[in-house]
Amino acid sequence: MAQPISNIQHDSHSTTAQGSWTTKRIALTSLLCAVSAICTLFLEFPILPGLEFLKYDPSGIVALIAGFAFGPATAGVVSILPYLVHFATHSGFYGVIMAVLATISLALPAAAIYQHKPTFVGALAGMFVGAICCIGACIIGNLILTPLYMGVSFHDVVALIVPALLPFNLIKILINCVVAAILYKPLTKALSE
């Protein structure tokens, strides 16, 4: 039988018996949101040559770790709040919606599955399901939102799926999941002390 990744309680992913958030959990969630916001603002870069508009940032790693450490609710908070600062940047509404969609569709399913099976195998299963959800959500989001906000046709977006959108999302998800799997255990230990 696989051993749990950490000793943190995963009963309801709350930090009290009543299911409310403690001051420590709120503070740690705020810290994770701040780290994620820094990632989205300052560590964003293109990963596919010739497709500079598709940029990667490591905020998905932070959301995954938050979800594994504290559950789906925290994964949701860390997947949404850090991106709100982008309303004031060139990303605007379109960028915020797509970034939130990509992050929450990966982190939320991963955290929910891990909540029910708090082992390394549960984390891997959660990330696998999250990856599938994320790819589907990103493709659908691009098909719906990109024609509305980027001034391109639906057919132009469909033509980008295989050569650009799919490879970009696969690389992004792979980086997020591998790094989260490596960093999760030591970071959860540090967060729980």
Side-chain angles (χ1 to χ4, degrees):
M1 182 173 181
Q3 293 297 316
I5 291 179
S6 73
N7 293 327
I8 291 179
Q9 293 289 58
H10 291 282
D11 50 346
S12 65
H13 275 75
S14 65
T15 53
T16 66
Q18 294 80 26
S20 62
W21 288 43
T22 64
T23 304
K24 181 180 178 182
R25 182 174 176 190
I26 292 168
L28 289 172
T29 301
S30 299
L31 175 67
L32 291 166
C33 283
V35 170
S36 184
I38 290 167
C39 290
T40 68
L41 289 170
F42 302 112
L43 300 176
E44 185 180 68
F45 54 90
I47 52 176
L48 291 177
L51 299 168
E52 282 72 29
F53 67 97
L54 294 173
K55 294 184 179 174
Y56 170 80
D57 72 74
S59 60
I61 298 166
V62 180
L64 280 169
I65 290 170
F68 290 152
F70 300 111
T74 305
V77 169
V78 177
S79 295
I80 296 170
L81 290 183
Y83 290 106
L84 299 182
V85 297
H86 282 281
F87 279 122
T89 69
H90 66 279
S91 298
F93 182 78
Y94 169 75
V96 169
I97 296 300
M98 288 304 298
V100 167
L101 183 64
T103 307
I104 205 165
S105 62
L106 174 64
L108 209 55
I113 289 170
Y114 182 75
Q115 180 179 17
H116 294 290
K117 189 175 177 67
T119 63
F120 187 68
V121 172
L124 291 178
M127 287 188 286
F128 179 77
V129 172
I132 293 170
C133 292
C134 183
I135 289 171
C138 289
I139 299 298
I140 292 168
N142 272 292
L143 290 172
I144 295 169
L145 295 174
T146 303
L148 295 174
Y149 289 97
M150 301 292 285
V152 296
S153 74
F154 176 81
H155 298 291
D156 290 338
V157 179
V158 170
L160 282 175
I161 290 174
V162 173
L165 300 176
L166 197 55
F168 171 76
N169 285 299
L170 287 171
I171 293 168
K172 177 179 73 172
I173 291 165
L174 184 63
I175 294 169
N176 288 343
C177 291
V178 168
V179 175
I182 292 167
L183 296 179
Y184 170 71
K185 194 170 185 177
L187 286 178
T188 300
K189 252 184 170 176
L191 291 172
S192 64
E193 289 176 353

